Amino acid sequence: MSVEMVELSMNAPEPVRTAGILQQNRVFLDFFWDLAKPDQEVRLKAVEDLIQYLKTNNKADELDYTIKRLVDGLAHTREAARPGFSLALGQVLSTFEVISLQSILDRIKEKHNLQTVKKKLVRNAAFGNLFGVLALHQSSRLSKEPPVVLGCVQLLQSLSQHRQHLKDLPTKTMMDILNEISEEVFEEVLLSALQTDLASAFRTPEQLQLLLVALQRFPQTLKPKKLKKLLGSSTIINAENIPKLMEVLKMASRSVKKECVLPAVALDLLKLSLKEDSFQLFWNNAIINGMLKEPPGPAHYLSFRLLGSALPLLSVAQLKEVLSGEVMMQYGEHVVSAQVTERFKLAPEMDSYVSDFLAGCQDADRQLAGMVGFSSLINKGSPLMPPVWRGVQHLQPAALQHYVEWLKNMFLKPQLDKLLDCSTRKQKDNREGKEHGLFPGETCVREGHQLLLCCFFSRFVFFHAFFSAKKASASIPETKGKLSVPLDDKTRGVLVNHFFGLLLSMHHLPLTEDSDKGTAANQKRVQGVRADGTMWIYHLVQYAQVLLDQPEHAHSVSTCVFCSMLKMVANLKKEVKKGPAAGTSAFQQLFLLVAMHLFKAPEELLGITKDLQSCVDKAQEKKAKKKKKQATEQEEEPEWVEVLVDILLSLLSQPSRHIRHVCRTVFSSICPHVTAAALTAILDVSTTHVRDKSDGSDDDSDEEEDDEAMEEEDDDDEEEEEEEGELEEGEVDQKFRQELMKVLQQQNALATEEDGSSDEELDDDAMMALDKGLAALFSEQKKKNQAKKDERTKIQKEKTLVRDFKIKVLDLVEVFVARQAGSPLVLGLVEPLLTIIDRGMSSDSDQQEQEFLRRAADIFRNQLCRSKVYCRTVGDRQGELHDLLDKLMTKCQKLADSSVCLYYFSASLYVVKVLRGAPPAELRFMGNLDVDRVSAIFRDALTSFMGRRKSPLTAQMFTDLFARFPGLCVQLLDQAVQHITSGVRVHQQGQACVLVLRAIQNKEVQQLLSGAPWTELCVKVSGQLAASLQQAGQAESKVVKEKVVRTLELCQFLAKHVHQQKLSVDLEPLQKVLQSLTSAIAFKKTGKLEDTYWAVMKHFGVMKPKVEKTKPDKEAEQQQVPKKKKGFLPETKKRKKRNQPILEPAAAAAAANNSTSRDKPGADKGQAKKKHDKKTKQKRPADGAAASQPNPAKKSKITQSESKTAKKKKPKQKKEGGGQM
């Protein structure tokens, strides 16, 4: 495109004619439609295509039309369209530099003139100007034309008056322009224009930020002398301007209350204070003595966010000062208060601030200062930092080492004066004595990933949890540091819990990167193992042995027991080196775990240690005997597996996640050696507790109510519930009444009819004695109630522990099913799991019991029944499995809940699958399955389903049976065909049609019945369908219609198949019944019933008749249906006519004239007649033959009102009568 052409087109005074363009190219116009679409991707694609189109065609008229459309679209009513047109205009101006920016600015001002636009379009026009300036800015040519820059800034200044629409967008746009232009353009062009805004910088946050941006971009222009002329001071942050800055910051904090972000002006002020070396003044006076003095709210949140944003900008000294000041204290109080109630929580934002600071900072000293500062926030002696702090992973090795040293020193010698205690006043008053401010948590171990640090940290916590340093030793570094304050039992218990949590964290630690490279990507890593193959816990056990070897540091744990366990571990390690043995690694892991827990609960685990030792001895003896004898006969599994399972069950009763995880790992390693007795022990534990629970269901319901009362012990409703519970116990209340009566009678305080002493008052001694007796009685009653409440609480806690134990036991069941799905022992899990599901479904239980039920149902359905791996070698258990199948199906028919019945039916199908064995190549092969017996079992179930009105069985169950076992389907198909007409209800007959349809659609069933049996089956089905349709009658109810639909679907498949295969089946009786069906059923134009019927008839050569569309005769309809009179109500809406009263001659004539005038076309308007009718209807005669006689009591009032209305309307009646005569 030539330059002359563009300039001529842009300067042409005549308006652009778009008629030719509209008729010429539709693709070009679609770009502008896409620019207004709400989808951002569509808008961006339209901008790209538009630019490419204009470059390719190179036509002046299209470019002019594009500029016009884009300028008009800047003020589009759709908010999503404005950015699209603005971006498109900016790209067009950037691509075609021959277009003058001044001409575009003039067009924008002219098109979106705020002075001439209508009032309702002021908002759109304001946005049009704003997005026009943004388009000029996006063209990247604004800095080349200084006059246009000045025009844009002046336009934005005028838009600042429309703050209710644009908010702070004009000022932000000016800042963007300042960031683009050079210092010369600012000094020569914009400084004079912006002088007013810069001089009023302390009025609004936007104007102050504009000044700060100008100072940052043009420091040579805005020198201190220039600032003094503008603001009256050579610096912005000084003592005089602090009050003004505080007001601006308060305004900024309120403006971003909903956005929950840090205002940019606050961060700019912080950076300026660091640049002007006035950070101390700004932080102390503006933030601490200014913003924090405001009530908790936006001002405080701005201070906290400014603290987090300032971390990367501060030096080490400034970090230490800020993180130990008032802002941190207020932040800690906010975190504590936010934990109490559901308030706004700023802690997640602060965590992200700290993590970003630690990730981007490479200075170890600054990282350490930040970690120490936030770790110094404590509440009730514990740090406020989260237990797992992700920011620790970004620490440099030196910073991490110093941080751990700081934690250790703070634990040994707590310096509470250097910590920021954010406890409330009530918490401080309740605190007794000094507390150890910091417990070394698992954070450093979980995120540090340094071998030496993990070892040091775990040893330190273990030592102070179970030992005490009496004498320093060079071989034990932990003995060199002594506690300044001895640990009490409560604190030591918390530290013990920290240690075992640390042990679990170490168990999940990943290997080093070097070891990961050598392993395969899909290889499962063993947890709890270091890179060299040794266990983490083994190093701690060795450390414990070193401590026990020195008597001055020995704990109360029996040293001989611990040493004997270590000997067993050493022997097991030797066995592993010789060769892998069954359960050797499992025993080793268990020994180490029990050894560590000996320090926590030695009395409970002493018996387990002895069992473990005997278990290992027996396992090794069995192994030695097998090697010597090498017997060919199969021997029983070693007893050590049963002993080990008992030990695992006893360990699972301990409330420890680490023990639970290790037990699961150990059991998975010994699954191939589990015996039937061991598996029975596991199942007995779970089913026994369930049975105990079911026997005391009434007690459980009461205990669940007590559990709810426990959870709300701080509420006032608890007292009411206790009172209600006491009222329900009539015996206790009766005894209490008797005791109360005795006390009152002893003191003669109970009035009787004989002495009449109700009015006499007792003396002081008698009153004191009575008070003592009543106080003792009520105190005793209160103790009894509290004892009952404690007993209920104890029982509820025991129940909770039992439920939790059952869930843990299910872990072992799940592991066994997953690892040994092909073992015959899995068949013994079917009935116990079904028992758990049945009892769990039938009882209303709490969330914990529901979790147990959900786990059991998931194991049974997904991991047992649906597993591709199953037992395929039944052996001598065929009779037992057939009996189990008979038992399951008998139980299935007696259930009341279909959901439970589904699990029993799935179990039956699983047993059938096991009896059949591997899927055969021949369809007729059924393996070890007794086809006649199994067919009889399922035939009885099918008869029960079709013959009972309320059966738990469903059609989907038998559909699954037919699909999975075609051989059984063939045996049951004849009976299903008979039930098409013999079903007890219409619903069962329809379900029988569904079963037969699914069966004959199966290709495997068709292969099994190929030939004469298939033809005979089709003949039977045809006859049953004809009989069923004859029984249909009038299909008025929904159930009958559904049955007819199912029957027609079966008819459709049968007719289609017979015609395609050309079978010798007579379908004429069925066709006759189908043809007569139209008289019994009223078909509609559309619907599933009608469509299915005509689809069936299509196979018999009968097509659906086409309904000819005839235009209705309008003249006949007009003659038949009279037109409704406008202004009148329909007859159904009118009130019934009442008896007409006898009127005077003049009134009667007027009424007759009014009635005749209604039928005339020139009658009066309806509104006037309605008013007249209402007034005449209000008149009621005093007497008359046709009038109803009013009550005597109301007669006088009626006559008086009628006389008044008659007097008022006499002149009007005369006038009307004269006119009509």
Side-chain angles (χ1 to χ4, degrees), residues 202-406:
F202 296 115
R203 291 184 181 179
T204 62
E206 293 81 13
Q207 291 175 333
L208 178 59
Q209 191 177 3
L210 182 65
L211 175 61
L212 295 177
V213 171
L215 275 174
Q216 184 180 1
R217 285 281 296 136
F218 316 113
Q220 300 299 327
T221 303
L222 296 176
K223 294 182 178 180
K225 294 182 180 180
K226 190 65 176 179
L227 283 178
K228 191 168 185 179
K229 291 182 181 180
L230 292 173
L231 305 176
S233 59
S234 59
T235 58
I236 295 179
I237 300 177
N238 51 49
E240 297 178 359
N241 294 337
I242 287 296
K244 301 177 184 179
L245 294 176
M246 288 168 47
E247 295 299 326
V248 173
L249 290 176
K250 292 176 185 177
M251 293 170 58
S253 65
R254 290 191 294 267
S255 64
V256 296
K257 183 178 180 180
K258 295 182 179 179
E259 290 79 3
C260 297
V261 294
L262 176 67
V265 64
L267 187 58
D268 290 342
L269 280 175
L270 178 69
K271 293 178 180 178
L272 182 63
S273 65
L274 293 172
K275 183 179 179 181
E276 294 181 352
D277 200 12
S278 57
F279 172 76
Q280 194 81 19
L281 176 66
F282 172 73
W283 191 258
N284 292 336
N285 295 344
I287 302 301
I288 296 177
N289 297 328
M291 303 296 289
L292 292 183
K293 298 299 181 182
E294 294 292 316
H300 285 218
Y301 299 149
L302 182 144
S303 304
F304 302 153
R305 293 189 178 102
L306 188 60
L307 170 66
S309 302
L311 294 178
L313 307 174
L314 303 180
S315 62
V316 177
Q318 291 172 340
L319 280 172
K320 292 181 179 179
E321 180 181 359
V322 169
L323 295 179
S324 61
E326 185 65 23
V327 179
M328 280 292 290
M329 184 65 110
Q330 294 286 346
Y331 170 71
E333 294 179 0
H334 160 74
V335 174
V336 174
S337 62
Q339 293 175 354
V340 176
T341 56
E342 295 182 358
R343 298 178 182 175
F344 172 71
K345 297 179 175 59
L346 197 93
E349 294 184 38
M350 188 61 73
D351 290 342
S352 62
Y353 281 129
V354 177
S355 297
D356 296 341
F357 160 65
L358 296 175
C361 179
Q362 301 299 326
D363 188 1
D365 295 336
R366 294 174 61 201
Q367 286 184 340
L368 179 62
M371 289 298 299
V372 169
F374 280 92
S375 300
S376 300
L377 287 175
I378 61 172
N379 178 34
K380 296 190 295 186
S382 300
L384 282 180
M385 57 179 289
V388 180
W389 201 357
R390 298 299 180 186
V392 181
Q393 62 185 341
H394 303 298
L395 290 180
Q396 300 292 328
L400 185 61
Q401 183 68 31
H402 290 301
Y403 178 62
V404 172
E405 289 292 335
W406 179 82

Side-chain angles (χ1 to χ4, degrees), residues 404-696:
V404 172
E405 289 292 335
W406 179 82
L407 286 175
K408 184 185 71 171
N409 296 331
M410 192 61 67
F411 176 79
L412 294 174
K413 299 179 181 179
Q415 300 176 5
L416 299 180
D417 55 339
K418 294 184 179 181
L419 302 177
L420 299 178
D421 191 358
C422 303
S423 304
T424 60
R425 184 180 302 174
K426 186 176 180 179
Q427 292 173 348
K428 293 178 181 179
D429 295 340
N430 295 336
R431 185 178 302 165
E432 297 179 359
K434 294 184 179 180
E435 296 182 359
H436 289 268
L438 296 172
F439 291 126
E442 306 101 63
T443 302
C444 297
V445 172
R446 289 187 180 182
E447 306 297 342
H449 298 173
Q450 292 188 16
L451 181 61
L452 295 177
L453 180 62
C454 293
C455 295
F456 163 76
F457 209 75
S458 57
R459 289 174 52 170
F460 179 83
V461 179
F462 173 75
F463 178 83
H464 289 284
F466 301 107
F467 295 88
S468 57
K470 297 181 180 179
K471 183 179 179 182
S473 175
S475 60
I476 306 176
E478 287 75 18
T479 58
K480 297 180 181 179
K482 293 185 179 181
L483 292 169
S484 61
V485 180
L487 296 177
D488 55 358
D489 295 338
K490 182 179 178 180
T491 307
R492 191 177 294 275
V494 175
L495 195 58
V496 169
N497 294 333
H498 273 269
F499 168 72
F500 285 104
L502 179 64
L503 199 62
L504 180 61
S505 301
M506 296 172 64
H507 184 75
H508 293 286
L509 278 179
L511 298 175
T512 58
E513 297 180 359
D514 298 336
S515 60
D516 289 340
K517 292 179 182 179
T519 58
N522 57 354
Q523 184 177 356
K524 187 176 180 180
R525 184 182 62 86
V526 181
Q527 292 184 332
V529 179
R530 295 172 52 175
D532 57 355
T534 58
M535 297 182 182
W536 280 102
I537 192 173
Y538 182 69
H539 291 273
L540 289 176
V541 171
Q542 287 181 327
Y543 176 67
Q545 185 180 11
V546 172
L547 294 176
L548 291 175
D549 291 340
Q550 303 183 18
E552 61 271 15
H553 306 293
H555 196 258
S556 60
V557 179
S558 179
T559 308
C560 58
V561 175
F562 188 84
C563 294
S564 62
M565 293 191 69
L566 291 183
K567 292 180 180 178
M568 296 299 298
V569 172
N571 295 333
L572 289 174
K573 290 177 74 66
K574 294 179 182 178
E575 294 290 335
V576 172
K577 291 181 180 180
K578 293 180 181 179
T584 304
S585 60
F587 281 124
Q588 183 180 355
Q589 203 167 14
L590 263 185
F591 270 115
L592 294 174
L593 181 64
V594 173
M596 296 309 300
H597 278 269
L598 276 174
F599 292 96
K600 182 179 181 181
E603 298 177 357
E604 299 177 5
L605 298 178
L606 283 177
I608 293 178
T609 57
K610 296 178 181 179
D611 294 338
L612 271 176
Q613 292 175 0
S614 62
C615 182
V616 173
D617 295 338
K618 291 181 180 180
Q620 292 177 352
E621 289 176 2
K622 288 285 183 180
K623 181 182 175 183
K625 289 180 181 179
K626 282 185 180 181
K627 285 184 178 180
K628 292 179 180 179
K629 296 181 179 179
Q630 295 180 355
T632 57
E633 299 179 357
Q634 292 184 354
E635 297 182 358
E636 296 181 358
E637 291 291 334
E639 297 178 358
W640 63 269
V641 176
E642 302 171 13
V643 177
L644 186 57
V645 168
D646 292 337
I647 293 174
L648 293 178
L649 291 176
S650 61
L651 287 176
L652 284 176
S653 61
Q654 301 290 332
S656 173
R657 289 178 58 193
H658 191 193
I659 290 180
R660 179 179 180 181
H661 188 85
V662 171
C663 289
R664 184 185 178 97
T665 305
V666 170
F667 186 76
S668 64
S669 63
I670 64 171
C671 273
H673 311 281
V674 172
T675 61
L679 190 60
T680 304
I682 296 174
L683 296 175
D684 288 343
V685 170
S686 58
T687 53
T688 300
H689 288 291
V690 173
R691 190 177 298 113
D692 293 339
K693 182 181 183 301
S694 63
D695 295 338

